[in-house]
Amino acid sequence: MTLDCKGLACPMPIVKTKKAIDQLEEGQVIEVQATDKGSLADIQGWAKNTGHHYLGTVEDGDVLRHYIRKSRPAEVKEEKKHPHCVSNEDLAKKLAANDKITVIDVREPAEYSFNRIPGSISIPLGELEDHVHELNPEDEIYVVCRTGNRSDMACRLLSEKGFNQVKNVEPGMSGWTGPLENAEK
């Protein structure tokens, strides 16, 4: 099966993939075509968290062709959400109070450069595991993305690595009304 997600941004490629994979028989492969660069980390993380087999991604010009094999029912895991979530307003209050927190933005570099929370650190989801050693597991960490989907996966990864004060910011930048900075600043 081929699923066309070209032109769609997070979380839509994952939402459509979840629905489409339910139509497949175990062992069948779906090709998800996407133009959102963040879909690479999204698809990989989603497959890992659900038990489906991420086979790989082929770049074809601007299109990423992701291949996922549907698992047997015994291999499929119930998708879990990170248990600690905060609203955009909660994060804005922490920032306004100058509380000592770390804000990690797991969106792709282009998304981050156009608008970001002042003082946030850019670590795209697909690179997070390689940069975990740069973070302090004792810090209070707030993770943001565009909608709360990628940041959820990032929070679960950090928790698995021993970070105990990690919070997912929902709905993330799509609903952020607090201060912003961009590449011009």
Side-chain angles (χ1 to χ4, degrees):
M1 173 188 276
T2 300
L3 180 63
D4 185 353
C5 294
K6 295 186 291 280
L8 300 178
C10 176
M12 291 313 297
I14 292 294
V15 170
K16 289 185 167 280
T17 301
K18 286 177 186 179
K19 288 181 182 175
I21 207 156
D22 287 343
Q23 317 251 327
L24 298 178
E25 298 293 323
E26 66 180 63
Q28 288 185 312
V29 174
I30 186 169
E31 174 188 317
V32 181
Q33 300 174 352
T35 49
D36 178 7
K37 297 297 180 196
S39 68
L40 177 60
D42 293 348
I43 293 283
Q44 288 174 331
W46 175 79
K48 177 183 176 187
N49 290 325
T50 60
H52 295 295
H53 300 275
Y54 169 75
L55 301 175
T57 296
V58 175
E59 285 193 50
D60 183 8
D62 290 342
V63 177
L64 298 170
R65 297 178 185 276
H66 309 291
Y67 295 92
I68 305 154
R69 180 175 43 243
K70 183 173 181 174
S71 294
R72 296 188 321 268
E75 295 174 301
V76 176
K77 303 181 229 173
E78 184 179 329
E79 197 170 1
K80 295 179 182 169
K81 299 271 294 171
H82 184 69
H84 306 290
C85 297
V86 298
S87 68
N88 287 356
E89 293 75 22
D90 292 335
L91 175 57
K93 287 176 188 171
K94 286 279 200 183
L95 292 170
N98 289 319
D99 287 355
K100 186 179 179 326
I101 62 172
T102 300
V103 179
I104 299 174
D105 190 320
V106 295
R107 295 176 300 154
E108 291 299 301
E111 295 173 285
Y112 179 81
S113 71
F114 283 105
N115 65 348
R116 61 186 171 267
I117 296 170
S120 62
I121 301 167
S122 174
I123 307 176
L125 178 60
E127 300 172 17
L128 183 58
E129 198 158 5
D130 295 334
H131 292 275
V132 167
H133 67 279
E134 298 168 11
L135 303 169
N136 183 347
E138 303 303 316
D139 285 354
E140 187 174 357
I141 298 175
Y142 290 75
V143 186
V144 67
C145 70
R146 195 174 81 77
T147 62
N149 193 32
R150 274 182 261 179
S151 54
D152 179 74
M153 288 187 265
C155 287
R156 285 184 276 144
L157 185 144
L158 289 170
S159 292
E160 289 170 10
K161 301 286 183 187
F163 289 77
N164 296 319
Q165 296 188 75
V166 180
K167 295 173 182 67
N168 184 19
V169 180
E170 293 181 327
M173 296 306 290
S174 64
W176 181 254
T177 59
L180 288 172
E181 65 182 16
N182 59 41
E184 295 174 2
K185 291 186 178 181

